[in-house]
Amino acid sequence: MSQDALVKRQFGHRARLALAPAQVLKVDDQAHAARTLWNLLHAWWRMMPKDKRSLANADAAIRQAREGVDFLAVLPAQAAQAVLRTYFQAWKNCWEGRTDAPNFKGRFHVAMSVDIPQGRDLNITRVHRRWGMVNIPKVGRVRFRWTKNLPVGKHAGAENRITGARLIKDALGWHIAFRVQALEVKPTPHQGPEVGIDVGVSVPLALSDGETYEHGDWLTDKEKAELLSLEQRAARRRRHRRSGERTSRRLRRTHVRIAGLRAKAKRRALDWQHKTTTHIARTYGTLVVEALAITSMVKSAKGTVEEPGKNVAQKSGLNRSIHAEAWGRTVTMLTYKTARLGGTLHKVPAPGTSQRCSACGSTTPGSRESQAVFVCKNPDCGWSGNADHNAARNVLYFYRMGLALIPAAGRAVVRRAKRVKPATAR
């Protein structure tokens, strides 16, 4: 097979680790050492003159700190170098306007993580169908949940290999995220149909062909009752805490249990999103979505003292529902999955998709009678149907009329696409 028919793909794969209690303590110590090293680097950066802030000087400062501070020695040297590179990359991202300036990392408000930059240090082997083994520097051999075939053993090579990993801790424990590089066959153009997609709160995904994708609650009734009880318990304990007093162990344990239930709900939501977006990307060749300004949509309605907002509680509840559906993450998944399967994803302007009648094309005030029902007020039309289905049809119509948005290079600005001959209306 020629090299032109192959494409290099880089992706990540996250797996759950099965650590022994002693190994958990070792990985925790490494994560705290990495966080402390970041803070020392930030203090060094603020203290040094601008002409002395170089990678070589920072590397020398790290080596000196590791020799003088005993507990920093638990962090492998390669992981310490990864902290240094990440810190300098954070400043580069800040200078290019992509992120804010890096700052100190607090003990309880930052995700704990340790980087393993060299893939050859992992020495991955598969034990049986459900579990594999990986080597973690200064920790030892650890089991991890095997849920995806990785390029190890006879499947590994110069182009198919694991280039590194990162240990990440969340409310459900420690996980390992592998960085995988693979050489795959370039996908052929997807021959599936075109479809418009409307995202919403009551109906998470509505398609222009009438298909809908919905889900239930992410927690069972028993889990929701437990979460409510824990939140009430935490509120009572916070109410009896004096100002400036440290958080008690009982309150911290309550917070850990709350975080565990919320992490379980998020994991179930991610599982639904992955399965749903994979099915859509395999079924359709061209996907069209709205270019939503989600950050502006979830702004608070609280207002100011001089001009207080209205319906603040209702708007707050809507904002929580929008955050829970994670529309941006859904579009991100669809983007890379359609590209991998040979399809394309386009964005169209959001204004007008919910108010326009997809049958006659008129925009009449009052047609959107409720969140779920659309009834065209045009006396010559009178079409009625599901509001989300109507919006999805409008999204596809805007694309066929040549109104797809093209992002400008390096900016979030969009331009009008070249107008094409409209397809026959369905």
Side-chain angles (χ1 to χ4, degrees), residues 154-375:
K154 63 180 181 180
H155 301 288
E159 300 295 341
N160 299 305
R161 59 194 178 92
I162 295 177
T163 60
R166 175 176 286 268
L167 306 178
I168 305 168
K169 187 177 185 180
D170 61 11
L172 298 177
W174 279 101
H175 299 74
I176 184 167
F178 298 105
R179 293 188 287 268
V180 185
Q181 175 182 298
L183 197 64
E184 299 180 348
V185 179
K186 185 180 296 185
T188 58
H190 199 301
Q191 300 301 320
E194 299 175 342
V195 68
I197 302 175
D198 177 69
V199 295
V201 174
S202 58
V203 178
L205 291 175
L207 275 56
S208 57
D209 60 359
E211 189 74 24
T212 58
Y213 294 88
E214 302 181 48
H215 59 75
D217 295 332
W218 303 126
L219 295 176
T220 63
D221 292 339
K222 183 177 180 180
E223 290 169 338
K224 287 190 287 187
E226 181 183 0
L227 178 60
L228 178 61
S229 176
L230 290 171
E231 290 175 339
Q232 292 173 344
R233 184 187 306 173
R236 288 194 301 268
R237 289 175 177 172
R238 283 196 301 267
R239 190 163 57 245
H240 293 290
R241 188 179 60 177
R242 301 186 187 93
S243 179
E245 185 181 2
R246 294 184 62 181
T247 303
S248 66
R249 292 184 180 179
R250 288 188 299 173
L251 179 56
R252 194 170 295 145
R253 285 196 295 267
T254 304
H255 285 161
V256 169
R257 293 178 63 185
I258 292 173
L261 285 171
R262 290 176 176 171
K264 185 181 293 186
K266 182 178 179 180
R267 178 173 291 184
R268 291 170 181 170
L270 277 170
D271 179 70
W272 180 85
Q273 278 186 308
H274 273 294
K275 291 177 179 178
T276 303
T277 53
T278 299
H279 176 73
I280 294 174
R282 288 175 176 172
T283 305
Y284 303 95
T286 302
L287 310 181
V288 190
V289 299
E290 297 174 290
L292 296 174
I294 301 176
T295 304
S296 301
M297 295 175 64
V298 296
K299 284 185 177 179
S300 174
K302 189 174 183 180
T304 61
V305 177
E306 294 78 12
E307 298 181 1
K310 298 180 180 179
N311 300 324
V312 179
Q314 293 87 333
K315 184 61 168 64
S316 178
L318 176 62
N319 292 348
R320 285 195 297 270
S321 300
I322 293 175
H323 281 302
E325 292 301 330
W327 296 338
R329 190 168 61 207
T330 299
V331 174
T332 300
M333 290 181 181
L334 288 172
T335 301
Y336 73 79
K337 290 180 180 182
T338 51
R340 187 185 177 192
L341 295 172
T344 57
L345 183 139
H346 305 273
K347 294 184 179 181
V348 298
T353 55
S354 298
Q355 289 77 29
R356 179 184 180 275
C357 176
S358 60
C360 67
S362 63
T363 302
T364 310
S367 295
R368 185 73 181 262
E369 292 193 345
S370 66
Q371 187 69 24
V373 179
F374 183 94
V375 179

Side-chain angles (χ1 to χ4, degrees), residues 34-50 52-53 57-58 61-62 65 83-84 87-88 91 102-105:
R35 179 186 58 84
T36 304
L37 191 59
W38 173 283
N39 292 338
L40 291 175
L41 266 174
H42 190 59
W44 173 88
W45 179 276
R46 297 178 62 181
M47 179 182 62
M48 296 297 290
K50 289 185 178 180
K52 300 292 184 181
R53 296 172 178 174
N57 292 339
I62 282 183
V83 173
L84 174 61
Y87 182 79
F88 271 74
W91 274 114
N103 208 337
F104 288 100
K105 292 187 176 182

